[in-house]
Amino acid sequence: MPAQQKKIIFCVAGVLSLACALGTAAALGMQLWVTGTMLCKTGALLVNATGQELEKFIGEIRYGLFYGERVRQCGLGGRPLQFSFFPDLLKIIPASIHVSVILFCTVLIIFALVGAGFFMFNAFGSPYETLHGPVGLYLWSFVACSCGCLIMILFSSEVKVHHLSEKISNFKDRNFTFKTHSEQFANSFWIILVCSLVHFLNALLIRFAGFKFPFSKSKDSGTATGAVDLMY
């Protein structure tokens, strides 16, 4: 492939990595990871509510990795309440999983920025083939993609397996019991999924530029070629 086309491919990959870093940073600070509705089970049982009457006992909840908001509905109108994971909910949530999600988000941002820098460095370097060659680019893309996958797996387990929404809704509420009525992942979660797919796409772009995947054997790989390809 001509050098000019390789530069264009590396520029595109660099811009995508930078966009993923910025998107992950924005998602990390937003409270749009999970949205849902919670049913005030105690209130609904007291009046034996059915059908449209249940709407008076269905509140809303949304939260991210640091803070969120819930609106309680127990038949007397909505009562909004804002909460923070640190330190308010630290005792009732699976803290190790939650902190791991935040940690992997940070690592994803760092490696996305590093990958963007090296993509641009390879695009405009002279000669760009020898500057932190394709193996290094594969490494940054692979680590960033893996972090994105781990974030989704850990956060999904925290929400679905450990019933995070119910724990938040029932926090410091001894008079009423809340159950999950509906629950779905929101924008921030899907941003992480898109970023993971983008980093996988970057690996394909490197391959499309004419570089082999790491550890693949070449028939005519000489000593000089191997030394150039393995430079980081």
Side-chain angles (χ1 to χ4, degrees), residues 1-231:
M1 179 177 290
Q4 189 65 29
Q5 294 184 20
K6 291 182 180 180
K7 288 185 178 182
I8 294 175
I9 290 176
F10 282 144
C11 285
V12 171
V15 171
L16 291 176
S17 294
L18 181 60
C20 286
L22 297 177
T24 304
L28 184 61
M30 291 193 300
Q31 61 176 10
L32 292 177
W33 284 74
V34 174
T35 59
T37 57
M38 307 304 295
L39 172 65
C40 181
K41 186 178 179 181
T42 304
L45 290 176
L46 284 175
V47 300
N48 196 21
T50 57
Q52 293 183 351
E53 295 177 347
L54 284 176
E55 295 181 1
K56 297 180 179 180
F57 299 92
I58 297 178
E60 299 178 352
I61 186 173
R62 63 176 183 176
Y63 56 89
L65 299 180
F66 295 99
Y67 61 97
E69 183 180 9
R70 68 179 186 181
V71 179
R72 290 176 30 175
Q73 289 275 10
C74 295
L76 300 175
R79 297 183 180 181
L81 174 66
Q82 293 185 348
F83 57 86
S84 174
F85 282 91
F86 305 99
D88 297 341
L89 304 175
L90 197 58
K91 295 182 179 180
I92 66 169
I93 65 173
S96 59
I97 298 178
H98 199 79
V99 173
S100 296
V101 172
I102 297 174
L103 178 63
F104 281 117
C105 283
T106 305
V107 175
L108 175 56
I109 295 172
I110 293 173
F111 274 90
L113 289 174
V114 171
F118 280 120
F119 274 118
M120 293 299 182
F121 200 52
N122 276 268
F124 297 104
S126 179
Y128 65 90
E129 292 92 346
T130 63
L131 297 177
H132 303 279
V135 177
L137 298 179
Y138 280 124
L139 176 63
W140 315 130
S141 300
F142 173 77
V143 172
C145 182
S146 300
C147 286
C149 294
L150 287 173
I151 291 169
M152 291 186 293
I153 293 172
L154 291 174
F155 189 74
S156 298
S157 67
E158 185 180 9
V159 174
K160 300 299 184 180
V161 178
H162 295 276
H163 307 289
L164 183 61
S165 298
E166 288 186 5
K167 290 182 178 180
I168 294 174
S169 298
N170 290 287
F171 177 62
K172 289 185 177 181
D173 201 330
R174 300 179 180 178
N175 298 324
F176 297 94
T177 301
F178 294 87
K179 292 291 183 181
T180 302
H181 186 262
S182 66
E183 188 179 55
Q184 56 274 339
F185 294 109
N187 297 342
S188 296
F189 182 85
W190 300 120
I191 288 176
I192 301 299
L193 173 61
V194 171
C195 289
S196 300
L197 295 176
V198 166
H199 288 296
F200 180 76
L201 174 63
N202 282 348
L204 296 181
L205 287 177
I206 302 170
R207 181 66 185 90
F208 182 73
F211 295 111
K212 295 182 179 297
F213 287 111
F215 309 113
S216 60
K217 295 182 179 180
S218 178
K219 295 182 180 180
D220 55 350
S221 59
T223 305
T225 305
V228 170
D229 289 340
L230 291 177
M231 290 185 67

